Amino acid sequence: MTDQAYNFAYLDEQTKRMIRRAILKGVAVPGYQVPFASREMPMPYGWGTGGVQVTAACLVPEDRLKVIDQGADDTTNAVSIRKFFQRVAGVAVTEATQEATLIQTRHRIPDTSLSAGQILVYQVPIPEPLRFLEPRESETRKMHELEDYGLMHVKLYEDIARHGQIATSYAYPVKVEDRYVMDPSPIPKFDNPKLSNSPALQLFGAGREQRIYALPPFTHVVSLDFDDHPFVPSKADHACDLCDASDSYLDEVIIDDQGGRMFVCSDTDYCGGRRAAGHVGRLGEEAI
Amino acid sequence: MYVAVKGGERAIDNAHAWLAAERRGDAAVAELSLAQIRAQLSLAVNRVMAEGSLYDADLAALAIKQSRGDLIEAIFLIRAYRTTLPRLGASVPVETAQMAVIRRVSATFKDLPGGQVLGPTFDYTHRLLDFKLAAEGEALAAPATAAADLADVPHVTGFLNRDGLIEANPRSAAQPADLTREPMELPASRALRLQAITRGDEGFILSMAYSTQRGYGRTHAFVGELRIGMVAVEMEIPELGFAVEIGEIELTECETVNQFKGSKTEPPQFTRGYGLVFGQTERKAIAMSLVDRSLRWAELGEENSGAPAQDEEFVLMHADNIQATGFLEHIKLPHYVDFQSELELVRKLRAEVLAGTEAAE
Amino acid sequence: MTMTLQNLAKDQPLLSVQGLSKSYGTRIGCADISFDLFPGEVMGIVGESGSGKSTLLSCMAGHMAPDAGRVIFDTASGPRDTVQMAEAERRRMARTDWAFVHQNPRDGLRMGVSAGGNVGERLMAVGARHYGDIRDTATDWLGRVEIAADRIDDRPRAFSGGMQQRLQIARNLVTGPRLVFMDEPTGGLDVSVQARLLDLLRGLVREMGLSAIIVTHDLAVVRLLADRLMVMKDGHVVEQGLTDQVLDDPQHAYTQLLVSSVLQV
C-alpha cells in the first residue's frame, strides 16, 4: 500500500532526474565518481542514503525489489529499507536473487550469479579509494584526473613489506577498464571477481559524500596487485555447515562459550535455495 | 541445531512501539503540547529551525516532541521533511538594516544611531537555579517593552565603511549557488561557505570559532554588531512585476570587525566576518562570523598557519551534524562480512608468523 | 670536465629559459631571466635569501606560474614550453623526466612510508608492478646513497637529517630523470654531514651524467657540483659564466662581496 503523501519512490521527479543524469554520466565513464546533490533522506547518512537515492531514481512500478545487508534479507537495516520502498513505492519485493529486477545491497554481491537486465545498487560509505592515503578531496580528484595512482601501489607495497602480503580484506581497490581506480564499497575481497564482466548493471551510491559511480554490464574490473603477489579472493576455508556450499562467502557464528563455532553462508537466499534442493551441511537438517 | 537469526521485521516493529511508549513516558503526567514546546522551549525550536534549514516553528516543535528532546534527531526529522518540499522560488535578499530589533548590541561603540538594545538576554543573569520555576504557577513582572517595529537601524559596519575604514562589501546581483541543490565543490565560494556554516552544528562551529580565539588562526575579532529581530521576506511575483511581502522571519545577525590588512600602497582597513542564522541563536551567529572570517585568509592574503578553522575542506566537510551523526552511528550496523574477512586475514597472518617462529626454533 | 664539454657540443639545449619574470604585487621576484642548460650540464644559481633564486626555481619547476616567459624543455616529442602545458602533462613530466630535491627532506619524502616505499613510489607511478623487482631496485638505490639495506622497511622519521636527505635523493633519481632541480640540497645539515652529501652528489652527477639546476646560497656547493654559475641579486642575474671563472675572478661588485665573505674551499 503506497503512502499517498509522497511521490512514487519518495523523491520528487526533478530530484530523480538529477540523480538519473548522474547515473548516466557514471555509466558513460565507468569507475568515475560523479558528484550529485545528495538529498536528505529519512534514514541517517551512512545507513544507505546513497543506495536508497539511486534505487529511488531507478525504480519503476513493475520492479521487483530485493534488499540485502551482509548478504541477508532479514538483517534489520535491509528490512527497514525494504519496508521504506514498500511504503513509498508500493513495489513488489522478493528474497530470491534470480527473481529480483533491482537489488540494493550493503557489503555483499549475491552468490547467485546475476543476469542481464538486473540492477545491483551498492551502498557506499567512502567512495574515494585514495581517501585514507590523501584526505583532501581537491587533491584526490586531481590524482584521478591525472591517473596519478602511484600512491595506491605504495600502500600495497607497504602491506607486503610489513605483513608479507596485501593486508586489505574488504573494500579492496580495483581498476576499471584500465582507467579509474575505484572503491568497490566494503564488500569482502572474495566478491571482487564478481564485479568484472557482470551481465548486470552495477550502480554505487554514496549519499553523505555526494557521489555516484557505475559499472555498466560487462565492464572489465581488475583488483590491484603485484605480478609476484597476485590478488587472491579468499574466504573461510570451510563448507557451509547448513547447505554444504564450498563456493559461497561464509559468516562465522559462535555457538557456545567453549570456542564452538559454525560457518554459514552469508547469502541467506543462496543457502536456502541449496537446502531446498537437498544439500545438507555438517550441522544442517534434511529439508522436509 | 542452529537457526539463523530471523525476525528482523518483528524486532523493528516492537522497537518502534517501545520507543513510542518511552517518548510518552509516564501517562499520569500531562502530555506536552506543541504550543507549549514552541512557547517555552523556544531556543530549542530556534536551533532546530536553524540547523534543519526550515523556518517553521510548529514543525520544529513537533520534531522536538517526536525526538524526545534529542535536538540532532529533531533536526534530522526536519531535514528529511524539507527534502520533500517543492521549491517555489527564491525571495529577494532580506534587508537586515530594516529590522524590528529586540536586541542590538555593539562592542565597538559605546553608543550609536539606533542605540544599544539589551533585549531578552541571559548575559547578565546570575546562573543560579531558580527554584521558583520548580513550583508551578509562577507570576511574572511584566517587562517594559516597546513594541519593536520594522525600522531603519543602520549597521555599525556601514559607519566604518563610510570612512573607508572597513573593506567594502559590494552588493552582487549574482545568484549564489545552493548547497542543498548542488554538490559541494571545493574550493567553495563565500556564499556556499556561509550556507554550510549557518546550518552547521552549533557545537562544531562554536569550537572552531573558539579555536581561532585561542590562537589557531587568530583574527582579532570585535563584535561590531549583534542584532536579533524580525525582518520582512519579499518575493518578486513575475505577474505583478514587483516584490511583495510574503511573511516575516526572526533572524540573528552578527558582524565582526577584524584585524586590518593593508600594505605600503594600500591603506589599512578592517576586515569583516559575517554570521546570519534563523531565530534567536546568537552564540551560533557570533561563532559563524568568526569562522567565516578565519576561512577568508587566502582572499585577504593572510598566511595559512595550518589551523583547522582556516581549512575550508576540514570545516565544510565536518560541520553538518546530520552527516556526522549518521556516519558515526552507522558503525553499530552489522559489519559481519567485513569483520569476517578481517578475521580470516589476521588468522592467516598470525599462522604465518607463528610458523616462521617455529621454523626458526 | 671532459664529459661536460663533450655534452656541451650538442647543439640542442635540454632546457631553455626565456624571459622568465615573476612579481609579487609591486615586489619583483625574478625579472627577465634567460639561459640555456645543455644535457649533462649542472647549473648553479647563487644569491642571498630574497635574491629571487627560489622564485626562479619554483617557476622553472612548475610549482608557481610565472607572469611572463617560457621554459622550454626538450621532451621526447621535441621542445615544448612547459609553462603552457596542461597541469596533467606537467605533473606526468614531474614524475618521469624531472625530479625535485627539496631543502627540507620532509617536503620531499612521505614520512609515514618506509624507505623502500619512498624509493619505489616513482617506479610504481610509472607502472612497475613486480614487488620483488621494485624492492631490489630500492635496495640498490639505498646502497648508492649509503643507506644500509636493512633499513629498507624503516620509516624516514627514524633517520638522521643527512640520511633523510640521501633518501630523498634516491627517491628522485631512481627513475633516471633527465633533469633534476635542487633547492639548497645541503641546507639545514651539519657541516660534516654536508661534506659527505656533497661527495655523494658529485659522484652521482658524474656517474649518471645528470643535468641539474641547483639553487643555493652556499658557494662551496656550486664550486663542487656546478659547471656554470648564475649570480642573482634583487631578482636579476648580475653575473654568469663558468663556475671557476666566476668564483676565481668575479667581475660584479656583488659577486666579489659574496666570494670574499665565504671560506675558500
Side-chain angles (χ1 to χ4, degrees):
Chain A
M1 184 46 220
T2 314
D3 197 324
Q4 295 301 320
Y6 294 102
N7 190 31
F8 175 76
Y10 188 74
L11 295 172
D12 61 281
E13 292 304 313
Q14 255 187 326
T15 299
K16 285 192 208 168
R17 264 205 293 280
M18 177 272 293
I19 295 172
R20 286 178 196 139
R21 273 198 293 271
I23 293 172
L24 287 174
K25 188 167 176 184
V27 168
V29 192
Y32 169 73
Q33 299 168 50
V34 185
F36 82 111
S38 177
R39 297 292 194 256
E40 257 116 0
M41 298 300 284
M43 60 271 300
Y45 283 114
W47 298 54
T49 53
V52 166
Q53 288 179 76
V54 170
T55 297
C58 290
L59 273 184
V60 291
E62 299 75 36
D63 267 318
R64 186 173 292 276
L65 176 71
K66 171 181 166 83
V67 183
I68 52 173
D69 186 342
Q70 314 295 303
D73 297 90
D74 56 359
T75 36
T76 44
N77 202 43
V79 169
S80 163
I81 291 171
R82 187 166 56 236
K83 274 179 122 177
F84 173 72
F85 280 115
Q86 281 178 291
R87 177 171 171 194
V88 299
V91 290
V93 296
T94 180
E95 296 195 359
T97 302
Q98 280 161 326
E99 285 172 19
T101 54
L102 193 154
I103 304 171
Q104 179 167 334
T105 181
R106 176 167 172 265
H107 294 191
R108 275 308 314 276
I109 299 177
D111 284 315
T112 306
S113 304
L114 301 177
S115 50
Q118 287 183 308
I119 301 177
L120 183 61
V121 176
Y122 296 77
Q123 301 174 201
V124 181
I126 304 269
E128 179 50 73
L130 303 165
R131 178 61 66 242
F132 299 108
L133 304 168
E134 168 55 60
R136 278 172 198 285
E137 180 67 21
S138 37
E139 183 59 23
T140 51
R141 284 192 77 77
K142 193 155 275 172
M143 290 163 81
H144 284 294
E145 180 191 339
L146 307 179
E147 274 189 85
D148 191 356
Y149 293 132
L151 194 54
M152 192 80 238
H153 266 90
V154 170
K155 199 255 164 208
L156 303 181
Y157 170 95
E158 293 287 288
D159 270 3
I160 302 175
R162 197 162 314 138
H163 302 294
Q165 58 180 280
I166 296 171
T168 301
S169 59
Y170 62 92
Y172 190 105
V174 295
K175 198 160 192 186
V176 178
E177 288 290 345
D178 208 29
R179 177 58 183 86
Y180 286 100
V181 167
M182 186 191 96
D183 183 314
S185 89
I187 55 173
K189 67 177 178 177
F190 173 79
D191 283 342
N192 270 26
K194 290 184 252 174
L195 293 162
S196 191
N197 279 314
S198 171
L201 169 63
Q202 301 175 76
L203 302 175
F204 299 79
R208 193 178 39 80
E209 300 276 342
Q210 309 194 315
R211 295 291 182 272
I212 284 173
Y213 50 104
L215 297 173
F218 303 106
T219 300
H220 187 52
V221 179
V222 176
S223 302
L224 298 183
D225 61 3
F226 287 102
D227 298 344
D228 48 343
H229 284 265
F231 170 79
V232 187
S234 62
K235 66 173 197 82
D237 192 14
H238 294 268
C240 172
D241 284 327
L242 296 180
C243 78
D244 205 34
S246 54
D247 57 353
S248 63
Y249 192 75
L250 301 175
D251 282 342
E252 182 174 333
V253 182
I254 298 172
I255 48 178
D256 55 41
D257 54 7
Q258 314 296 312
R261 48 196 45 159
M262 66 185 294
F263 290 87
V264 294
C265 289
S266 102
D267 185 336
T268 46
D269 172 57
Y270 184 72
C271 195
R274 280 182 55 87
R275 277 182 287 159
H279 298 277
V280 182
R282 187 174 63 96
L283 300 172
E285 273 175 2
E286 206 81 46
I288 303 153
Chain B
M1 168 60 201
Y2 165 78
V3 182
V5 186
K6 281 271 178 192
E9 196 144 352
R10 243 184 32 241
I12 289 177
D13 288 343
N14 197 46
H16 290 173
W18 195 347
L19 178 69
E22 285 283 315
R23 177 184 57 70
R24 178 59 184 88
D26 185 351
V29 176
E31 186 174 346
L32 269 177
S33 71
L34 297 193
Q36 285 172 331
I37 294 172
R38 192 180 156 164
Q40 297 176 40
L41 296 176
S42 57
L43 297 187
V45 168
N46 282 181
R47 181 172 173 193
V48 170
M49 292 196 301
E51 293 173 34
S53 284
L54 187 67
Y55 195 91
D56 188 317
D58 290 321
L59 287 180
L62 170 60
I64 291 168
K65 179 172 176 175
Q66 186 179 332
S67 65
R68 307 169 62 192
D70 178 339
L71 293 191
I72 291 183
E73 183 67 28
I75 292 160
F76 186 6
L77 290 168
I78 292 298
R79 291 271 193 96
Y81 179 74
R82 182 188 193 278
T83 298
T84 65
L85 298 177
R87 171 155 309 211
L88 301 175
S91 75
V92 300
V94 293
E95 201 54 77
T96 54
Q98 298 260 311
M99 183 185 262
V101 295
I102 57 165
R103 171 161 166 78
R104 190 247 193 159
V105 291
S106 169
T108 49
F109 294 100
K110 187 170 181 194
D111 199 5
L112 64 165
Q116 304 250 24
V117 181
L118 202 50
T121 172
F122 289 119
D123 283 355
Y124 305 102
T125 61
H126 295 140
R127 266 57 170 216
L128 301 172
L129 277 177
D130 182 356
F131 292 101
K132 287 200 296 287
L133 291 180
E136 286 169 44
E138 52 175 333
L140 287 178
T145 51
D149 286 321
L150 290 183
D152 273 325
V153 186
H155 284 111
V156 167
T157 48
F159 306 138
L160 291 168
N161 194 25
R162 208 165 300 145
D163 302 331
L165 285 171
I166 193 162
E167 57 167 325
N169 218 359
R171 272 177 185 260
S172 162
Q175 191 73 28
D178 183 343
L179 184 68
T180 65
R181 298 280 134 171
E182 292 143 47
M184 172 98 74
E185 274 203 50
L186 297 164
S189 64
R190 188 177 179 203
L192 213 50
R193 291 200 303 245
L194 290 169
Q195 288 172 39
I197 302 170
T198 196
R199 61 191 234 143
D201 183 72
E202 179 174 313
F204 177 83
I205 304 299
L206 170 66
S207 295
M208 282 292 121
Y210 178 49
S211 71
T212 69
Q213 291 184 291
R214 291 192 66 259
Y216 291 83
R218 188 147 180 242
T219 63
H220 307 268
F222 296 98
V223 172
E225 182 170 356
L226 174 74
R227 57 170 69 192
I228 304 176
M230 303 295 284
V231 296
V233 179
E234 297 184 343
M235 209 169 145
E236 298 273 4
I237 308 296
E239 288 80 359
L240 298 178
F242 54 87
V244 295
E245 183 175 328
I246 55 169
E248 283 185 339
I249 58 174
E250 191 175 36
L251 291 175
T252 302
E253 182 186 52
C254 178
E255 283 195 283
T256 54
V257 177
N258 298 69
Q259 70 188 11
F260 47 84
K261 57 158 191 170
S263 62
K264 274 183 191 149
T265 50
E266 270 180 272
Q269 274 187 320
F270 290 110
T271 56
R272 300 168 187 251
Y274 190 69
L276 184 70
V277 188
F278 279 162
Q280 295 183 32
T281 41
E282 70 179 67
R283 179 188 302 121
K284 172 78 171 285
I286 299 169
M288 175 175 173
S289 59
L290 262 63
V291 175
D292 167 49
R293 177 59 186 78
S294 178
L295 289 174
R296 295 180 65 209
W297 65 271
E299 167 200 349
L300 297 171
E302 293 168 341
E303 199 191 336
N304 180 359
S305 62
Q310 286 181 314
D311 187 332
E312 173 182 280
E313 205 167 316
F314 183 86
V315 173
L316 299 190
M317 300 306 260
H318 301 117
D320 192 279
N321 52 23
I322 302 308
Q323 290 175 358
T325 197
F327 198 54
L328 179 97
E329 295 188 35
H330 106 282
I331 61 173
K332 67 193 171 188
L333 284 178
H335 284 79
Y336 329 126
V337 164
D338 295 346
F339 186 68
Q340 185 65 36
S341 58
E342 290 284 83
L343 264 181
E344 311 289 346
L345 180 66
V346 171
R347 283 194 183 123
K348 191 160 163 231
L349 293 175
R350 283 176 58 84
E352 276 164 24
V353 172
L354 291 174
T357 356
E358 273 165 28
E361 275 165 9
Chain C
M1 291 280 143
T2 43
M3 191 169 70
T4 307
L5 291 175
Q6 187 189 325
N7 284 334
L8 276 175
K10 291 185 185 171
D11 50 359
Q12 180 86 301
L14 181 67
L15 187 80
S16 180
V17 176
Q18 300 173 359
L20 206 62
S21 300
K22 172 78 187 172
S23 300
Y24 305 97
T26 51
R27 194 167 63 76
I28 293 171
C30 62
D32 198 21
I33 310 284
S34 301
F35 71 92
D36 287 341
L37 182 82
F38 289 87
E41 196 180 20
V42 177
M43 165 72 88
I45 302 175
V46 297
E48 299 168 311
S49 52
S51 63
K53 58 187 193 308
S54 294
T55 299
L56 174 60
L57 188 73
S58 297
C59 289
M60 288 190 293
H63 296 172
M64 194 187 269
D67 300 333
R70 307 200 290 170
V71 178
I72 296 166
F73 181 69
D74 187 20
T75 69
S77 56
R80 298 274 312 278
D81 183 3
T82 61
V83 174
Q84 300 300 328
M85 269 184 187
E87 187 177 2
E89 210 178 344
R90 195 162 51 229
R91 274 209 190 190
R92 199 164 297 132
M93 208 168 59
R95 59 177 198 256
T96 52
D97 280 348
W98 288 5
F100 196 103
V101 177
H102 294 265
Q103 170 173 4
N104 186 343
R106 283 171 181 277
D107 297 334
L109 291 174
R110 293 196 185 277
M111 299 306 282
V113 166
S114 70
N118 264 293
V119 178
E121 180 171 355
R122 273 175 79 105
L123 294 170
M124 292 183 258
V126 295
R129 292 293 178 264
H130 190 282
Y131 175 81
D133 291 351
I134 293 165
R135 207 164 162 84
D136 290 345
T137 310
T139 310
D140 176 49
W141 266 96
L142 290 180
R144 290 169 79 167
V145 298
E146 300 166 16
I147 295 174
D150 63 0
R151 304 298 301 271
I152 189 167
D153 292 332
D154 293 346
R155 295 183 181 181
R157 282 187 223 291
F159 290 1
S160 68
M163 272 173 85
Q164 287 181 358
Q165 196 57 299
R166 281 181 274 132
L167 180 62
Q168 193 194 177
I169 288 164
R171 169 180 160 88
N172 270 287
L173 299 188
V174 64
T175 47
R178 295 168 60 214
L179 175 61
V180 185
F181 298 101
M182 297 191 203
D183 185 10
E184 302 275 10
T186 59
L189 298 175
D190 292 342
V191 178
S192 61
V193 178
Q194 278 187 19
R196 185 170 168 203
L197 187 72
L198 275 177
D199 250 14
L200 180 88
L201 272 175
R202 185 161 64 165
L204 289 170
V205 164
R206 291 253 168 88
E207 189 187 319
M208 300 178 71
L210 282 182
S211 310
I213 295 175
I214 303 178
V215 158
T216 181
H217 67 281
D218 186 347
L219 295 187
V221 171
V222 287
R223 169 84 82 182
L224 269 171
L225 296 178
D227 303 307
R228 278 199 298 144
L229 196 59
M230 272 178 17
V231 182
M232 288 187 71
K233 182 180 188 322
D234 299 333
H236 296 269
V237 173
V238 295
E239 184 163 0
Q240 59 178 313
L242 294 174
T243 304
D244 293 344
Q245 193 185 326
V246 173
L247 293 184
D248 294 341
D249 183 18
Q251 301 297 307
H252 192 276
Y254 177 71
T255 316
Q256 291 166 358
L257 194 70
L258 269 186
V259 171
S260 65
S261 65
V262 292
L263 287 173
Q264 293 298 317
V265 206

